[in-house]
Amino acid sequence: QVQLVESGGGGLVQPGGSLRLSCVASGSIVDIHTMRWYRQVVGRERELVAEIDKFNKVNYGDSVKGRFAVSRDNAKNTMWLQMSDLRPEDTAVYSCDAAILTSDGLRTYWGQGTQVTVFK
């Protein structure tokens, strides 16, 4: 069984501040392909924040380019999202997903999400 667990959110951060989120995959993992960060606000569509493949090729949503940075450590099955110059509009639940290969094949797994609140 595979699990994804996010951490690093919770609490309040002021505009202009920084925060780092983590996403850790555990379980019977053979390989992890692309990992992604999404965010969602109630009543709005889920938005892709950033993605990174196993060769560290990255892609960002337009609203976070130049402010957020995604990275991963394949040996630790971990992905991070370094968020800088945070704005109130960055407030959302941030969740990660990953395309993970197990003995049962390749499928996408999701974490539960972590709240990020940017507020004076």
Side-chain angles (χ1 to χ4, degrees):
Q1 194 169 5
V2 173
Q3 280 190 318
L4 290 182
V5 178
E6 302 96 338
S7 62
L12 299 175
V13 60
Q14 291 189 340
S18 299
L19 201 61
R20 189 172 86 152
L21 304 182
S22 301
C23 171
V24 180
S26 62
S28 302
I29 297 169
V30 174
D31 195 17
I32 301 178
H33 296 199
T34 299
M35 302 182 79
R36 297 180 178 90
W37 285 102
Y38 287 91
R39 66 186 182 186
Q40 187 163 25
V41 177
V42 173
R44 296 177 61 180
E45 287 191 5
R46 188 181 67 187
E47 176 187 6
L48 176 66
V49 176
E51 60 185 355
I52 181 168
D53 71 11
K54 59 187 293 184
F55 304 108
N56 289 317
K57 180 180 177 182
V58 301
N59 182 46
Y60 295 98
D62 288 340
S63 62
V64 306
K65 284 180 181 176
R67 301 188 297 123
F68 291 10
V70 62
S71 60
R72 65 189 280 175
D73 184 330
N74 293 331
K76 296 181 179 179
N77 293 336
T78 299
M79 173 179 64
W80 295 275
L81 183 68
Q82 178 67 48
M83 303 185 291
S84 302
D85 188 24
L86 282 162
R87 304 166 182 171
E89 55 264 37
D90 294 318
T91 296
V93 174
Y94 287 70
S95 58
C96 62
D97 81 3
I100 297 177
L101 179 66
T102 68
S103 59
D104 293 329
L106 182 68
R107 57 160 282 195
T108 299
Y109 293 84
W110 284 92
Q112 291 298 308
T114 186
Q115 177 71 44
V116 172
T117 303
V118 184
F119 189 72
K120 279 189 176 180

